[in-house]
Every structure is written in C-alpha cells, then in structure tokens.
C-alpha cells in the first residue's frame, strides 16, 4: 500500500505537486497518468525518498521509504532506466545491488531470467538498447521480491513483444497481491493493463477511480448513424444539440444524444435510419476530456 497525504512539492514559487492525496492498494495494477509536467515523476521520487516533500507525507507499507531498513525488499522502483553503471555487465550491476541487501546471486539469475535477459547477462549494460535497459531496470526493481513495485514509464522503448510481456508481468505481480504503480502516457496500453487510475494535472488530483468508472463518468460516447436521408437527419440532430462529425454522406458520428433519442427524432421527422451503433468512449477519449484544462504545453 502507498498512501500520499496532502503532498506538496514546491520548486521556487511553483507547485509541481499540489496537495495530492491518494492511496494505491495491493492486488491491482494502478496506472499513474497525467500530461507532461503534471508532477508524476516528482511524486514517484517523493514516494521513494529521492525528493523531500515541501509539506505532506507519503508512506510505503506503512512508513516513509527512508525508514525501511531493507528498502529493496519492501519497494522496487524503476524511475530512470539509464541509471546503470555502463561499464558493468547486467549481472554485475544486479549483483552489486544485491550485495547491499544480502540478496543471493541465485536471485540475481532468477530475475535476469524473469525479464528475459539471461542470454545477455554477461554483456555490458552500456551497450544495451532502451528496451533492454528497461528490462534491466525492472529486474533491479524486482530483485528484493518487494511487496510494492513502482515503475515510471516502463513501456518506453519496448517492442510489441516486450509491451505484451510487461503487461502480463504487471498483472501477474498484482495477482500475487503486490501493490503495483505504473506511470505511462500510452492510454491504450493502460486501458488493458490497469484496473485503477490515479490521474493528476498541474500537480493536483483529477481522478482516483477505476478505468470503467472514468469512462462512464467523463463519458463522451457517440452513436454511429447510417441513414439514406443523411443530410436531413444530420441537420435535425444538430438542431437538437448533437455534435456531428461526418464519415461519409450517409454515415456519421453523433455525440451528445443517445441512440434512443436519435431513433425517436428520426421517426418523428419521417427520416429512415439503417443503423444506430452506440460507441463507448475509450480511455483515451475520457483522459483527454479530463485533462484538457491541465495540459501544460498545447
Ligand atoms: P511529469 O513526470 O508528470 O512529466 P514532473 O514531475 O517531471 O512531471 O515535473 C512537474 C513539474 O515540476 C514540471 O513543471 C517540471 O518542470 C517541474 N520540475 C521537476 N523537477 C524539477 C526540478 N528539479 N527543479 C525545478 N522544477 C522541476
């Protein structure tokens, strides 16, 4: 469990993190989302004690990160994939970390296998691709078999195979009862990986909810309408407040009215309808709607 309470981080006169409170629960993957500059990395650094909050508190497994005597065994974090000694082999990098916590070399080989780096374990990390670097960072995070795993943009640099592997790994870690917090800007990936979302903008909490609740709440769903009287039906719907975007003359998307209302209006207007298909908003639609105000750079 991660608990942030009224967390504030100020840089100069600017609040990068502004009164942020949230709880990340075990047993599920929680996605940590927000536009660039929203304060995600700053928050993650405060969780693992790399940055000191200006005010407020954040605890991991019940206490501040710094107060854990064997932090690697409580919290595994990947915050910066390039933070490795470039001259060391992957295995030696992990062995050096393991020795600080009395972790066995057997566990080092185990996590190398788990992240798919067993074959390149004796190659220097400096020559690794971004994707291999991410895998090494994830291996380091898992080294101490921690109950809490925090990964900042772990999908970056992974190929489609790697993306799927990571998705299964994260879900597996959550199923084992661990607390998993992952930041990402890839909404389509978060939609299939995370169950819960913490979304921030300009350092403030915008949503702390499940993926499906967010989509329902912010819901900007639309209806695909097919009609041989396309132009007339379009005009009619627009007059009733729909926002219409065209696909082709007899086929368009209408937002702002549900399928039943559209069908009733068409009937009353004597216009034929050949198809009405409600389309649920995607996580990306809901996210963009929610964060519209909070985007730092447009
Ligand atoms: P995110 O990870 O969501 O993109 P960050 O946490 O990196 O956002 O940054 C949040 C805000 O804090 C940004 O406006 C950023 O410029 C600022 N910031 C981050 N780190 C520092 C720092 N060390 N000094 C000054 N400003 C910083």
């Amino acid at each position: 469990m991660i608990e942030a309470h009224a967390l504030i981080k100020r840089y100069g006169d600017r609040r990068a993190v502004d009164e942020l409170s949230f709880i990340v629960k075990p047993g599920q993957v929680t996605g940590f989302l927000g536009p660039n500059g929203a304060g995600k990395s700053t928050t993650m650094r405060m969780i693992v004690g790399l940055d000191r909050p200006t005010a407020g508190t954040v605890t991991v497994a019940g206490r501040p990160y710094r107060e854990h005597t064997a932090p690697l065994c409580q919290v595994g974090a990947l915050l910066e994939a390039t933070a490795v000694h470039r001259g060391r082999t992957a295995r030696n990098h992990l062995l050096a970390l393991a020795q600080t916590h009395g972790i066995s070399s057997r566990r080092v080989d185990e996590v190398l296998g788990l992240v798919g780096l067993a074959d390149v374990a004796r190659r220097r990390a400096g020559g690794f691709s971004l994707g291999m670097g991410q895998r090494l960072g994830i291996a380091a995070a898992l080294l101490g078999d921690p109950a809490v795993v925090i990964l900042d943009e772990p999908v970056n640099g992974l190929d489609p195979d790697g993306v799927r592997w990571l998705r299964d790994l994260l879900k597996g870690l959550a199923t084992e009862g661990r607390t998993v917090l992952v930041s990402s800007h890839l909404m389509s990936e978060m939609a299939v990986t995370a169950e819960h979302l913490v979304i921030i903008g300009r350092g403030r909490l915008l949503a702390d909810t499940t993926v499906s609740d967010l989509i329902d709440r912010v819901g900007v769903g639309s209806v695909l309408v097919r009609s041989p009287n396309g132009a007339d039906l379009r005009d009619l719907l627009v007059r009733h407040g729909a926002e219409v975007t065209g696909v082709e003359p007899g086929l368009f998307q209408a937002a702002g009215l549900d399928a039943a209302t559209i069908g009733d209006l068409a009937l009353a207007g004597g216009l034929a309808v050949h198809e009405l298909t409600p389309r649920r908003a995607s996580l990306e639609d809901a996210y963009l709607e929610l964060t519209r105000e909070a985007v730092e750079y447009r």
Side-chain angles (χ1 to χ4, degrees):
M1 185 115 104
I2 302 169
E3 291 171 88
H5 181 68
L7 208 51
I8 296 176
K9 180 68 187 181
R10 203 180 283 126
Y11 289 116
D13 57 1
R14 198 194 151 124
R15 286 184 175 196
V17 173
D18 196 4
E19 297 263 356
L20 196 56
S21 299
F22 59 85
I23 291 176
V24 185
K25 294 199 194 111
Q28 60 186 12
V29 177
T30 299
F32 192 31
L33 312 179
N36 285 339
K40 302 180 296 295
S41 302
T42 304
T43 303
M44 287 177 143
R45 284 202 305 273
M46 289 193 283
I47 295 173
V48 297
L50 289 173
D51 253 344
R52 209 179 271 277
T54 307
T57 56
V58 58
T59 59
V60 192
R63 44 171 93 166
Y65 184 88
R66 287 165 198 269
E67 289 178 14
H68 285 290
T69 45
L72 276 188
C73 302
Q74 299 286 343
V75 189
L78 164 68
L79 297 190
E80 180 60 69
T82 51
V84 294
H85 190 304
R86 298 177 60 80
R88 271 192 196 138
T89 67
R91 189 166 185 274
N92 282 341
H93 168 66
L94 295 177
L95 278 174
L97 284 176
Q99 275 159 14
T100 64
H101 277 62
I103 296 168
S104 71
S105 61
R106 194 167 50 79
R107 176 65 185 163
V108 168
D109 292 322
E110 205 171 279
V111 291
L112 280 165
L114 191 65
V115 302
L117 290 180
D119 291 345
V120 294
R122 287 179 164 77
R123 269 172 49 188
R124 287 194 316 166
F128 278 10
S129 67
L130 181 57
M132 288 159 81
Q134 293 284 36
R135 286 173 187 259
L136 182 57
I138 294 165
L142 299 179
L143 197 56
D145 199 15
V148 178
V149 179
I150 300 171
L151 308 175
D152 195 4
E153 297 280 356
V155 183
N156 279 356
L158 293 179
D159 58 16
D161 221 36
V163 172
R164 175 171 293 185
W165 161 78
L166 181 67
R167 186 191 310 154
D168 292 342
L169 176 78
L170 296 177
K171 288 182 169 186
L173 292 169
T175 306
E176 289 165 8
R178 293 175 216 263
T179 302
V180 183
L181 181 67
V182 192
S183 76
S184 178
H185 60 272
L186 297 175
M187 291 307 127
S188 53
E189 191 46 38
M190 274 295 119
V192 289
T193 306
E195 272 170 70
H196 202 89
L197 300 173
V198 172
I199 305 181
I200 64 173
R202 297 183 195 267
R204 290 180 156 265
L205 189 70
L206 296 178
D208 180 352
T209 182
T210 63
V211 174
S212 65
D213 279 356
L214 179 76
I215 292 172
D216 288 342
R217 177 153 66 87
V218 184
V220 280
S222 59
V223 181
L224 183 73
V225 183
R226 191 186 299 274
S227 165
N229 310 113
D232 291 341
L233 186 53
R234 256 180 116 108
D235 291 347
L236 179 66
L237 298 183
V238 169
R239 283 203 300 280
H240 283 83
E243 219 174 279
V244 173
T245 44
V247 182
E248 49 191 76
L251 184 67
F252 56 86
Q253 297 275 357
L257 297 175
D258 62 16
T261 308
I262 293 171
D264 291 347
L265 285 169
L267 178 67
L271 302 170
V273 170
H274 290 178
E275 181 182 348
L276 283 180
T277 308
R279 178 181 156 267
R280 200 167 181 245
S282 67
L283 175 60
E284 185 173 61
D285 295 333
Y287 170 84
L288 289 174
E289 184 64 24
L290 187 71
T291 56
R292 208 152 32 138
E293 301 285 298
V295 174
E296 191 169 49
Y297 307 104
R298 274 186 169 277

